[in-house]
Amino acid sequence: MPSRWRHAERHRTDRIGWLRAAVLGANDGIVSTASLVLGVAAASADHSSILLTGVAGLVAGAMSMAAGEYVSVHSQADTEGADLAREQAELDADPAAEHRELSAIYAGRGLDAELSRQVATQLMAHDALGAHARDELGISDTLSARPVQAALASAASFAAGAALPLAVTALVPGPGLIGWVAATSLLFLALLGALAARAGGARMGLGAWRVGFWGALAMAITAGVGALFGAVV
């Protein structure tokens, strides 16, 4: 079909890989760095120690997020690769059986038997492995694992998220530090949740509330622990 007759639609599923990693990284950056700052501040540390703790948390967290995301997503990519290799071997060994298998999949989705066989025949003639990957294994180009992309998105977004409470820490020394970091971090988290929901096509208010609530809980617990262990007994 000529390209001028194709109906161009914008979907959001192609954003799943980088959006998940970016939201997770930014959320973790804000929450962990703000929690570190609040915990150390609640333990009555001096301002330079608080700031140094925040910087160390940013660097360590970004590297940890990148490494963890790369390893976990690469494991998914390895599994996908192994499944594709196995499927290719099965296609080479017994293409007729694979044709029947694909026909049965289409029949199970509502096509009659004859049409199922025709569809399987044409798709296998065009790209047998691609047809089985998509319709039997559920592997597609849109949703396939991309370890490097996920690692870079996580590291960059963590650093960007962590920089927000760290900047507030640098600008607001003194007794008001805890209140400022807590309030601005909650605002950052709510904005992150709203933006992530918008990018994914969900309700912005619900996204803001969800991210803000769990972030507030994490920061409150960390500040409480810092105050408990930092208190003079």
Side-chain angles (χ1 to χ4, degrees):
M1 180 181 294
S3 59
R4 65 177 180 274
W5 296 110
R6 292 177 183 167
H7 177 54
E9 294 181 341
R10 297 182 61 187
H11 297 286
R12 294 179 171 87
T13 53
D14 59 341
R15 305 176 182 178
I16 290 176
W18 66 262
L19 181 60
R20 180 191 65 83
V23 172
L24 176 63
N27 179 81
D28 201 15
I30 296 172
V31 172
S32 61
T33 304
S35 297
L36 276 173
V37 167
L38 292 175
V40 176
S44 303
D46 60 84
H47 186 258
S48 61
S49 297
I50 297 172
L51 193 58
L52 181 60
T53 299
V55 172
L58 185 155
V59 175
M63 295 301 99
S64 176
M65 286 292 292
E69 195 72 21
Y70 181 84
V71 170
S72 62
V73 178
H74 208 293
S75 296
Q76 178 186 342
D78 290 343
T79 302
E80 291 177 355
D83 282 344
L84 289 173
R86 178 180 178 181
E87 195 64 34
Q88 184 63 65
E90 292 174 352
L91 284 166
D92 295 338
D94 194 350
E98 292 302 302
H99 181 274
R100 291 193 297 271
E101 186 176 33
L102 198 60
S103 298
I105 291 173
Y106 298 140
R109 293 178 182 176
L111 299 183
D112 61 58
E114 180 58 30
L115 184 56
S116 297
R117 286 192 291 270
Q118 292 177 10
V119 172
T121 298
Q122 293 187 33
L123 289 180
M124 288 184 67
H126 174 68
D127 181 7
L129 182 59
H132 281 270
R134 180 179 59 253
D135 295 320
E136 181 184 349
L137 304 177
I139 299 173
S140 66
D141 290 338
T142 300
L143 302 178
S144 62
R146 295 179 174 86
V148 174
Q149 181 191 69
L152 293 176
S154 291
S157 58
F158 183 97
L164 297 174
L166 193 57
V168 175
T169 303
L171 294 173
V172 188
L177 176 63
I178 292 178
W180 273 99
V181 170
T184 55
S185 295
L186 287 176
L187 176 62
F188 297 147
L189 287 169
L191 289 174
L192 172 65
L195 291 173
R198 179 177 175 81
R203 292 164 53 191
M204 295 177 65
L206 181 61
W209 181 88
R210 180 172 57 237
V211 175
F213 172 79
W214 290 107
L217 182 63
M219 289 187 289
I221 292 174
T222 308
V225 171
L228 176 65
F229 287 94
V232 178
V233 179

